[in-house]
Amino acid sequence: MKPTLLILAAGMGSRYGGLKQLDAMGPSGEVVLDYSVFDAIRAGFGKVVFVIRRDFEEQFRTQIGSKFGDRIAVDYAFQDINDLPAGFSVPEGRTKPWGTAHAVLAAEGVVNEPFLMINADDFYGRDAFAKIGSYLATERPADGKSHYSMVGFYLKNTLSDHGSVARGVCTRGADGMLSSVTEMTKIFRTPTGAENRETEPAIPLTGEEVVSMNFFGFTPDIFGHLRAAFTQFLETSGTDLKSECYVPKEVDVLIRDGKADVTVLESNDSWFGVTYPEDKADVVASIRSLVAAGAYPENLWA
């Protein structure tokens, strides 16, 4: 069974100031997720599922989904802030989505095979897709534990010069497996590396830390784990107008509880992405360099 690519594309783009999922970055008008789909097809994925919002469905289907229909199976799932477990409701004044765990849960009805979860606005590189695609196609042990995977990137290569970023900072055990993920939501670049200013005092970072960029390989049993985690999140933080339930944090809980393990895969490619409008020029230049080097064609879908 070929794996599925699950692209989280429902974000509001509050720091970017618009729908960065639809903002052209490539030389022939490609958006960042075009390159993810292209790399996934090269890596043997059989389907792509976009998690989007209903309010831009028509625009997204026309500008994005229509490109891939004759190259890979395409499906959609819809993240809705009102889609909550029985007994819960959206607190008055909340407009912010519930986070990546809630976004993944939106796709439960259309994903029945091993899948790769990624962000729509991150460029991960061909090698990352090839590595995790191969892993997802390999049969997992039936030992009562969930077996997942991820590709990690060095923090120093994932920072913005224009503001803070949120990253899941990872540690690995002696066996190379993921041992923990610490979600840090206000990481700034500094002359000596980086620091997380989420708390006082700020936490210094070297920049050499391996971080999660939401590039996780899952099997469908993750949906049950995330349903339970999201319900617990709502019980403890559901009245907070800006709280979010993050996939890396819930993966960390599963590891600590002995319910899952995560294989950390090495990638030789550099990550880059757009958080702020000022990041766009760097992304455009990076893609142009890759095209000039022959890594991608001038026009992906010609």
Side-chain angles (χ1 to χ4, degrees), residues 36-75:
S36 292
V37 175
F38 187 82
D39 285 332
I41 292 172
R42 292 199 286 193
F45 284 69
K47 181 170 70 173
V48 57
V49 175
F50 297 105
V51 179
I52 61 174
R53 300 196 314 271
R54 288 284 186 186
D55 60 293
F56 60 79
E57 176 187 2
E58 183 177 352
Q59 181 185 10
F60 195 95
R61 285 180 181 267
T62 301
Q63 290 185 224
I64 304 297
S66 61
K67 301 178 186 179
F68 315 127
D70 59 346
R71 296 175 172 88
I72 190 172
V74 177
D75 210 338

Side-chain angles (χ1 to χ4, degrees), residues 154-174:
Y154 289 111
L155 174 61
K156 64 184 179 183
N157 295 330
T158 75
L159 299 171
S160 172
D161 291 324
H162 309 292
S164 67
V165 298
R167 301 287 183 257
V169 179
C170 304
T171 59
R172 287 183 281 184

Side-chain angles (χ1 to χ4, degrees), residues 5 7 20-45 48 50 60 63-64 67-68 71-72 116 118-130 215 269-274 280 282-302:
L5 175 62
I7 301 182
K20 56 185 172 181
Q21 307 96 315
L22 304 181
D23 199 358
M25 303 283 174
S28 299
E30 295 89 353
V31 300
V32 170
L33 68 82
D34 276 319
Y35 292 91
S36 292
V37 175
F38 187 82
D39 285 332
I41 292 172
R42 292 199 286 193
F45 284 69
V48 57
F50 297 105
F60 195 95
Q63 290 185 224
I64 304 297
K67 301 178 186 179
F68 315 127
R71 296 175 172 88
I72 190 172
L116 167 61
I118 69 168
N119 296 329
D121 50 0
D122 289 344
F123 191 110
Y124 298 99
R126 179 179 185 175
D127 184 58
F129 284 91
F215 199 93
D269 287 339
S270 294
W271 170 96
F272 51 86
V274 176
K280 179 177 178 178
D282 294 334
V283 173
V284 170
S286 296
I287 291 175
R288 171 57 70 182
S289 294
L290 288 169
V291 170
Y296 298 92
E298 181 84 14
N299 187 330
L300 285 185
W301 312 115

Side-chain angles (χ1 to χ4, degrees), residues 142-154:
D143 56 7
K145 179 184 282 191
S146 298
H147 299 284
Y148 304 140
S149 56
M150 66 165 283
V151 171
F153 297 83
Y154 289 111

Side-chain angles (χ1 to χ4, degrees), residues 232-249:
Q232 185 175 17
F233 162 82
L234 291 172
E235 290 172 348
T236 58
S237 305
T239 58
D240 186 330
L241 299 185
K242 293 187 177 181
S243 59
E244 293 185 62
C245 188
Y246 296 109
V247 167
K249 180 180 179 180

Side-chain angles (χ1 to χ4, degrees), residues 10-16 53 79-84 89-100 102-103 166 185-186 230 233-234 237-246:
M12 298 176 70
S14 57
R15 289 179 290 184
Y16 188 69
R53 300 196 314 271
Q79 186 178 15
D80 186 333
I81 192 174
N82 297 296
D83 185 9
L84 298 175
S89 60
V90 179
E92 184 178 355
R94 182 176 182 112
T95 58
K96 192 176 184 65
W98 292 107
T100 51
H102 184 249
T185 60
K186 291 186 178 179
F230 186 59
F233 162 82
L234 291 172
S237 305
T239 58
D240 186 330
L241 299 185
K242 293 187 177 181
S243 59
E244 293 185 62
C245 188
Y246 296 109

